[in-house]
Amino acid sequence: MRLRTPLALLGAALLVLVGPPLLTTGSGAETGTHIPGLRLMVPNTPGGGYDITARTAAKNAEDAGLTRSVEVFNLPGAGGTVGLTRLVNERGNGKLAMSMGLGVVGAVRSNHAPRTLADTTPIARLTEEQDVVVVAKDSPYRTIGELIDAWKAAPGRLPVGGGSSPGGPDHLAPMLMAQAAGIAPKDVNYIPFDGGGELLASILGSKVAFGVSGVGEYRDQIEAGELRLLAVTGPERVPGLDGPTLKESGYDVEFTNWRGVVAPPGITDAERGRLVRLVEALHDSKEWRESMKRNGWDDAFLTGDEFGAFLAAEDERVVSVLKELGL
């Protein structure tokens, strides 16, 4: 089974923890990218993929002088659909955007959310990235083969954790792994977490047998030796990390995730155009290119109506794959 879903990340506007907005000498006035009072919502917990992407994009946009003041804030819940509902309810607010990705597409389906991405204004798909299969440093599983052998012997007794709701990337990737290994997806004990940051503690504490999440979320812990990388889900190995692909390990799976930015419905053409210009300028900046390389993100840039068409296609794809897996 092969599912290649553009991944990568989100990014969008710019910065923050909880504190005053940053100031920069550049204002973005020359390129028409400065949006006074812009807020960027992260629909999951700190430390997850949407959060890392948003804050990276924020800092890069500030450093590139594209904008002067933006707030990033977290509104987690229900796999991102709490944030989605808030975004849609902010109809006409041209100073709000939300980081999102394949996980929100899946969460809308699995949670039967009242609002969908079709209710938003598409701005841009930014990145694509692989998922990683990881265990704690003291795990008994040292190779992907050892893990899957144990998983096949007792799938229900080896819980797998992911940073997305059913239908999201961290759920689909292990389900496809199970199918390729001859494990019935319905027998998999999948435990969802609201983002990779929330999942991390359970992997480190061996509360789950293994975890699946984005490479950019766990690269630091892998390099520090806190997590052991067993495999990556994409078509090629991740430069700088010592982990085989699932395919070269004998499991016919190729899977990537993506991230992007949407805005509330009902904003004006001028407001949408300014948001698109901001992410276009961010995409072209050396700061963003360096961050993509450092985090293992691939470029998957797509804007406006083309991104809207992609979102509709992804919704259909998630439904199709879940049906094929019997889920």
Side-chain angles (χ1 to χ4, degrees):
M1 170 66 191
R2 173 175 177 172
L3 175 67
R4 180 166 172 76
T5 352
L7 162 200
L9 257 143
L10 167 24
L14 332 25
L15 172 248
V16 331
L17 278 163
V18 176
L22 294 183
L23 298 178
T24 179
T25 54
S27 67
E30 299 84 355
T31 55
T33 59
H34 180 49
I35 305 173
L38 179 64
R39 306 180 76 214
L40 179 60
M41 184 197 307
V42 176
N44 64 8
T45 54
Y50 301 150
D51 188 70
I52 292 171
T53 307
R55 295 183 191 281
T56 299
K59 185 176 188 307
N60 290 168
E62 288 283 343
D63 291 347
L66 301 177
T67 191
R68 188 178 65 242
S69 172
V70 178
E71 178 190 1
V72 178
F73 67 100
N74 297 79
L75 185 63
T81 58
V82 170
L84 175 62
T85 299
R86 162 74 178 275
L87 186 83
V88 175
N89 288 341
E90 293 270 352
R91 182 179 184 85
N93 185 352
K95 295 187 177 184
L96 178 66
M98 184 180 84
S99 66
M100 46 72 69
L102 178 58
V104 176
V105 178
V108 165
R109 287 293 178 178
S110 62
N111 293 322
H112 306 290
R115 302 296 188 180
T116 74
L117 289 166
D119 297 318
T120 69
T121 300
I123 301 301
R125 185 184 72 195
L126 293 176
T127 60
E128 182 180 37
E129 74 170 344
Q130 305 195 42
D131 267 356
V132 290
V133 181
V134 293
V135 295
K137 63 181 179 181
D138 55 355
S139 167
Y141 309 115
R142 305 197 67 83
T143 68
I144 188 66
E146 290 178 359
L147 171 65
I148 289 185
D149 285 346
W151 199 20
K152 289 173 69 173
R157 291 204 296 268
L158 265 72
V160 51
S164 59
S165 297
D170 300 349
H171 171 252
L172 293 177
M175 293 301 167
L176 293 169
M177 285 171 54
Q179 184 185 58
I183 301 169
K186 64 182 178 57
D187 292 337
V188 173
N189 182 9
Y190 177 76
I191 301 177
F193 293 83
D194 202 356
E198 190 177 283
L199 167 64
L200 180 60
S202 288
I203 302 174
L204 294 174
S206 298
K207 299 294 172 57
V208 294
F210 66 104
V212 177
S213 196
V215 60
E217 293 170 82
Y218 292 160
R219 186 173 194 128
D220 288 347
Q221 288 79 12
I222 292 169
E223 291 177 341
E226 294 300 312
L227 293 176
R228 181 182 301 147
L229 173 63
L230 300 186
V232 298
T233 67
E236 299 177 350
R237 292 189 177 212
V238 176
L241 294 182
D242 183 18
T245 67
L246 287 170
K247 215 158 197 180
E248 71 180 275
S249 302
Y251 307 100
D252 190 16
V253 177
E254 186 178 304
F255 180 89
T256 54
N257 182 20
W258 57 269
R259 295 191 181 98
V261 184
V262 293
I267 64 175
T268 67
D269 289 345
E271 289 169 332
R272 183 185 191 185
R274 184 158 292 232
L275 284 166
V276 170
R277 284 196 301 275
L278 175 58
V279 295
E280 285 176 338
L282 173 67
H283 170 260
D284 292 340
S285 70
K286 66 178 178 59
E287 289 84 357
W288 180 247
R289 289 194 298 272
E290 290 169 356
S291 292
M292 287 200 300
K293 182 177 179 180
R294 182 174 60 253
N295 286 292
W297 300 338
D298 294 324
D299 191 11
F301 197 62
L302 193 66
T303 61
D305 292 338
E306 290 183 339
F307 179 42
F310 170 78
L311 289 177
E314 285 297 273
D315 183 56
E316 294 179 2
R317 182 179 300 214
V318 165
V319 171
S320 174
V321 172
L322 289 175
K323 286 182 178 177
E324 183 174 338
L325 293 172
L327 301 172

